[in-house]
Structure formats: C-alpha cells, structure tokens
Amino acid sequence: MNQLWPEEQQPAAAHSSEAAVEAAIAGSIAPPATGFDQEQPDTARGKIDAITYDSGTVGTKRQALVYTPPGFSRDKTYNVLYLLHGIGGDEREWFNNGSPQHILDNLYAQKNLAEVIVVFPNGRAMANDRAEGDLFAEDKIAAFTTFEDDLLNDLIPYIEANYPVLTKRDNRAIAGLSMGGGQSLNIGLRHLDRFAWIGAFSPAPNTLEPVELLPNADEASKTLHLLWISCGDADNLLFVSERTTAFLKEKQVPHLWLEEAGGHDWPVWKNGLYQFAQRIFR
Ligand code: FER
C-alpha cells in the first residue's frame, strides 16, 4: 500500500508513529467484499440505455451507454460520472469485462453510492471508432485526444438535454482505465471548471507529462473534491502513475494514490470503479 492522503484527511494517529500511520491508511481503503461485482438477489437494478448523439467534432453519429440507477425518476436530478475505456475497447468494454452495473447496483443497495448517472462513452473519437486493426496506429491514438472536444461539445450537451442531470462542476466526474485514465487526467485537470472529481485507473502513457498536465497546481488543490489514481504493482505502465503522483506530492495537490497487487487488468479497474464511485458526490 502506498497512499497519500490530503493533510486534512490524515487519520488522527498520523503524527504518533510511522507504524500507526501505515495501519490507519491501509485500513481506510478497504478492499471490496466477495461478490461486489456480481448480481445479488433482492437487489434493485439500474437500467442501461444505448444512446446515439450527433458529434459535430467527428461529423458522425456516435454511441454511448448510460446507466441510470435503481429508482431512476425524471422528477429527480442526478450527478453524472463519465467512465472511459482503454485502448482495446469501446463504449461496451466496461460491460463486456467489468460488470459495472453490478458494482454500482451493489454500492447503491449499501447506500454507498450517491444518486448518479454513469455514461460510458466511446473515447476513440473518429469516424470508425471500433477497436479493430492496429490499435496503436497514429490516427487511432490521436482520436483519444480528439475525444476531449467530442465530450465537452457534443456528448455532455446531449446528456444534459436528455437526462435530468445537475450541471455544475461539483456534480460532474470523469474517470477511466488505462487510455481512459490518461484521458480523465488530461481532460479533467485541463477543465477544472467542468469537473470536480477525477479518477485514473492504471493511466496510460497518453497521460500528459506532469508540467503540461498540471500547470495550475494551486487551482487544482483549491477546487478538486477528489483526485484518485490507482495502479497494479505489476503493471508495465506503473511509471505513469509514479511520475504523476510524485508531481502531485511535490506540488502538494491533495489526492488518493493506491498501488495495489495486480497487473494491467480488470481486478484493478473494477476495484478502481468500486473505490472511486463510493467517494464521489458525497
Ligand atoms: C502505450 C502503452 C499502452 C500507450 C498506450 C497504452 C499511448 C494503452 C493501454 C490500454 O489502454 O490498455 O505506450 O501509448
């Protein structure tokens, strides 16, 4: 475990001894219980919509999935989390591999999830946005950068026009795995006026270098409600999290950093969603 807590969230024991600090911190990010990612009996279920929106950025109609929580009602208003996939995926990747609906339903049943709509975009913003061919081709990698405009100018407006969502920065989160983790950091930190909650699970090398990523460290410190980074200790991309969190520490930007046992793989990303989702909008 290697976690850096914001000063004000340090456990009371923090100053007594190193051992006490380690124990308190390790205990404060509890791993999920068995079954957290499985459908549980007698648990209310959210719904999943497939939506299509016009992208002025790409010039095509684009697809996304939208999870609405149990008891969803247009008479209520909801926070929104945009949850992004990796280089090998598309808008369905989380559902194909990560059971996000079960993770969210179970957290909701335990009252550990705020009222939130979760949007699963396709982060490869180009005409053919399927995960096929050479996934590392230059145009495909570039499309993950183009997504910034598609998200801000096309998808978010669509969601806000079609779902009963809150539209302040405090009510909007962005998170993702690998390429999507890099996108979440790049886009979120560049648009602190739009996002107050940012999560990156095993962020990939598309993550901007620290000085570019965070020219405004003081503003980030003042305005972010949560900046979460997690990564497996056996992940070849661990260096990205390390360089980013080292810079955050140097600039004293409050964040949570969880290095856990694991590789570049779904157990880490599911835990990322589980941990991040229960800490946002609360
Ligand atoms: C890279 C290695 C991995 C890279 C991206 C990835 C842009 C993405 C991995 C993933 O999304 O799982 O060098 O460069």
Side-chain angles (χ1 to χ4, degrees):
M1 288 272 182
N2 179 9
Q3 300 150 10
L4 177 68
W5 287 85
E7 282 304 322
E8 65 272 20
Q9 288 183 23
Q10 291 255 346
H15 302 292
S16 56
S17 79
E18 283 295 315
V21 176
E22 285 303 315
I25 293 175
S28 63
I29 297 188
T34 305
F36 81 106
D37 57 347
Q38 283 155 25
E39 192 170 316
Q40 300 297 336
D42 306 320
T43 297
R45 315 215 188 291
K47 290 201 175 66
I48 301 153
D49 302 336
I51 60 125
T52 301
Y53 63 100
D54 281 313
S55 170
T57 302
V58 180
T60 56
K61 291 193 183 301
R62 308 201 68 229
Q63 286 160 12
L65 298 181
V66 179
Y67 167 93
T68 56
F72 173 73
S73 161
R74 293 196 173 266
D75 297 332
K76 295 199 262 183
T77 48
Y78 293 84
N79 303 287
V80 190
L81 163 61
Y82 293 86
L83 186 59
L84 311 178
H85 61 81
I87 201 163
D90 58 26
E91 69 279 4
R92 296 188 178 261
E93 185 183 35
W94 272 98
F95 289 94
N96 290 341
N97 301 288
S99 311
Q101 72 279 41
H102 303 323
I103 295 173
L104 295 164
D105 288 346
N106 294 337
L107 280 173
Y108 194 81
Q110 295 156 6
K111 304 207 181 308
N112 282 329
L113 184 70
E115 294 279 9
V116 60
I117 289 175
V118 184
V119 180
F120 298 81
N122 182 313
R124 190 183 295 97
M126 62 195 293
N128 178 1
D129 59 12
R130 296 303 96 191
E132 57 191 26
D134 176 6
L135 297 171
F136 286 85
E138 213 174 311
D139 60 335
K140 290 195 165 65
I141 297 288
F144 280 85
T145 304
T146 306
F147 177 68
E148 176 170 344
D149 289 338
D150 179 76
L151 174 65
L152 297 175
N153 302 331
D154 303 312
L155 180 55
I156 290 178
Y158 175 92
I159 294 297
E160 294 184 349
N162 289 281
Y163 286 90
V165 296
L166 297 158
T167 56
K168 293 201 183 116
R169 65 183 291 283
D170 309 275
N171 307 104
R172 196 179 295 114
I174 185 166
L177 71 91
S178 202
M179 282 298 274
Q183 288 176 308
S184 298
L185 294 170
N186 295 347
I187 299 172
L189 292 171
R190 206 191 335 253
H191 299 280
L192 292 167
D193 57 326
R194 309 294 297 276
F195 301 94
W197 316 83
I198 300 173
F201 319 141
S202 324
N206 62 325
T207 306
L208 293 170
E209 292 282 341
V211 179
E212 276 180 277
L213 180 65
L214 216 84
N216 50 352
D218 288 348
E219 188 193 351
S221 296
K222 283 201 200 90
T223 63
L224 278 176
H225 300 327
L226 175 61
L227 175 53
W228 167 280
I229 299 179
S230 54
C231 193
D233 59 2
D235 189 329
N236 287 333
L237 303 185
L238 179 60
F239 73 95
V240 177
S241 292
E242 285 177 338
R243 82 173 180 219
T244 307
T245 53
F247 190 80
L248 292 170
K249 193 172 175 183
E250 181 194 323
K251 297 290 176 188
Q252 297 190 304
V253 179
H255 62 284
L256 293 183
W257 161 224
L258 175 65
E259 184 181 328
E260 62 192 290
H264 196 70
D265 213 347
W266 283 97
V268 172
W269 304 331
K270 288 176 165 189
N271 189 34
L273 174 59
Y274 172 82
Q275 301 292 350
F276 184 73
Q278 64 185 275
R279 287 174 170 82
I280 54 177
F281 311 125
R282 297 154 69 85

